[in-house]
Amino acid sequence: MDKQEYKNISSMAANGDAKAFAHLYETVYREMYYTAFYSLENDADAVEAVQGAARDGFKAINRLRSEEAFRVFMMKTLCARIKMFFKEYGENAVTDDYRLEVKQKLFELDNADRLCAAMYIAGRFTPEEISQYSGMSKTAVKKRLISALEYLELDY
C-alpha cells in the first residue's frame, strides 16, 4: 500500500470505518501477536492482549494525530495491555507450559527486560521503536536489551 492509500484508509478508520481499521490492523497484527506471545505467560493471554489492544485501538483511533502513526499507536496500546498482565502476574510469574529453551529463559527475565527482548526478537523492533512504544527511555531500553540478550545468549 502506498502512502496516499495508507493516508486515505487511515482517515476512513479515524472516522469509524471498521473495514478501513481492519485493513490497517492487518499490517500490524502479526507483530503485535508475536510481541504479546513472547512477553506473556501463555497463548491465551497473548490473544487476549492483542484483541483488547485492537478493541482499544478502534475505540480511540479518532485521536490519532497523524495517519502515519497507526503502527506506533497500536504498539503503545498493546504495551499498555501487556503491562496490565504483568501486574496480574506479579513479580514471580512462573511458566512451565513451554518447552522452547529461549522462551523459558525469557520468563526468567524481569517483566521490562522480557518486553524489550520480545519486541526486539519477535517483533524485530529497533531499540528506538521499543522506547517509543513502551514509554521507556532509549538508554534504559538499550541497557535492558544488552542484558537480556546476553542472558539469552543471543546477539545484539
Side-chain angles (χ1 to χ4, degrees):
M1 149 178 15
D2 66 14
K3 282 190 173 194
Q4 185 60 41
E5 182 183 5
Y6 184 83
K7 190 173 183 174
N8 291 340
I9 292 171
S10 306
S11 294
M12 290 168 38
N15 289 321
D17 186 327
K19 286 184 181 181
F21 180 85
H23 191 68
L24 290 174
Y25 180 67
E26 285 178 16
T27 67
V28 296
Y29 80 91
R30 281 187 181 91
E31 293 169 340
M32 292 174 66
Y33 174 74
Y34 290 137
T35 298
F37 180 77
Y38 285 104
S39 296
L40 300 173
E41 290 186 8
N42 58 61
D43 184 56
D45 288 350
V47 169
E48 186 177 331
V50 172
Q51 288 175 342
R55 279 191 309 272
D56 294 348
F58 183 69
K59 289 178 187 174
I61 194 164
N62 61 341
R63 290 185 258 160
L64 268 181
R65 292 185 183 152
S66 73
E67 288 82 5
E68 295 81 23
F70 183 77
R71 183 175 187 234
V72 172
F73 170 70
M74 290 305 295
M75 290 307 298
K76 281 184 176 183
T77 304
L78 177 63
C79 285
R81 284 276 174 172
I82 289 171
K83 288 176 183 179
M84 288 171 34
F85 277 95
F86 286 164
K87 286 180 184 175
E88 288 178 21
Y89 292 165
E91 290 298 315
N92 298 315
V94 177
T95 183
D96 54 5
D97 296 338
Y98 296 98
R99 296 184 185 109
L100 298 172
E101 185 177 328
V102 172
K103 186 155 186 183
Q104 287 174 340
K105 282 184 155 186
L106 270 170
F107 286 108
E108 295 170 6
L109 297 171
D110 80 1
N111 291 336
D113 288 356
R114 186 168 66 243
L115 178 62
C116 290
M119 291 181 80
Y120 182 79
I121 296 165
R124 300 188 190 281
F125 294 109
T126 66
E128 292 75 20
E129 290 172 321
I130 296 169
S131 171
Q132 185 179 15
Y133 303 154
S134 68
M136 291 182 238
S137 73
K138 289 178 189 175
T139 304
V141 167
K142 288 179 182 179
K143 286 180 182 179
R144 289 182 177 283
L145 269 177
I146 290 169
S147 173
L149 295 175
E150 182 178 293
Y151 179 76
L152 297 170
E153 300 174 12
L154 299 172
D155 293 329
Y156 177 66

